Amino acid sequence: MGYIDAGKQAGATVHLGGERWGNEGYFIQPTIFTNNKPDMKIVQEEIFGPVAVVMRFSDDDDMVRQANDTVYGLAASVFTKNIDRALRTSQKLRAGSLWVSAHCCRFTRLLAGLWRLPRASRVTAILTWSLVHVCR
């Protein structure tokens, strides 16, 4: 609850959730923060849990600047209907993992069937699957 409390104290708006879920364990309700400022702890640090911090941006360059102006950058997602915009924007983001029009997708089912192929064939199959999946 530390990050949720920090967001509230900094003046962010809890749009949804923001409370514990149940009486046992460390479960929290899915939470969405709006009206955030770039220097807030909930913006600068990555929260491991069902918490989203929604930021406004004026254009793609402003969005990239805000996204890259954090300490960590473990993961990022770009959601758009325009694949050219998605690819152009995603190339500018500094993140360990990046998804387009999805978040936290895994290739476990795909990889299980490819383990006997040579490495180059596996890479080609994964890239092809990724493009088809993203373009749907």
Side-chain angles (χ1 to χ4, degrees):
M1 292 300 297
Y3 280 103
I4 291 176
D5 293 339
K8 290 175 182 178
Q9 291 171 3
T13 301
V14 176
H15 187 77
L16 178 77
E19 301 294 331
R20 284 182 55 84
W21 195 344
N23 298 321
E24 297 181 28
Y26 297 97
F27 300 104
I28 61 170
Q29 297 172 349
T31 302
I32 298 174
F33 280 105
T34 57
N35 299 320
N36 305 293
K37 304 270 186 294
D39 61 338
M40 290 180 175
K41 180 178 182 174
I42 60 171
V43 174
Q44 287 297 313
E45 298 182 17
E46 296 188 2
I47 304 170
F48 291 91
V51 179
V53 178
V54 179
M55 302 285 293
R56 292 184 181 272
F57 57 92
S58 57
D59 57 26
D60 291 354
D61 289 334
D62 181 42
M63 184 275 299
V64 169
R65 183 190 54 74
Q66 287 186 54
N68 288 340
D69 189 27
T70 60
V71 176
Y72 301 104
L74 297 176
S77 295
V78 175
F79 288 87
T80 179
K81 293 179 180 180
N82 183 327
I83 191 67
D84 293 328
R85 182 181 187 195
L87 294 174
R88 186 175 56 251
T89 303
S90 64
Q91 290 177 7
K92 298 176 185 175
L93 293 172
R94 294 188 318 255
S97 297
L98 189 129
W99 296 271
V100 173
S101 297
H103 186 74
C104 215
C105 295
R106 303 282 192 252
F107 298 114
T108 53
R109 284 182 282 166
L110 175 69
L111 293 176
L114 300 176
W115 67 274
R116 287 188 180 171
L117 293 175
R119 185 182 186 287
S121 297
R122 281 196 308 267
V123 170
T124 302
I126 291 168
L127 291 174
T128 302
W129 183 88
S130 299
L131 272 175
V132 168
H133 182 72
V134 166
C135 294
R136 272 197 261 170

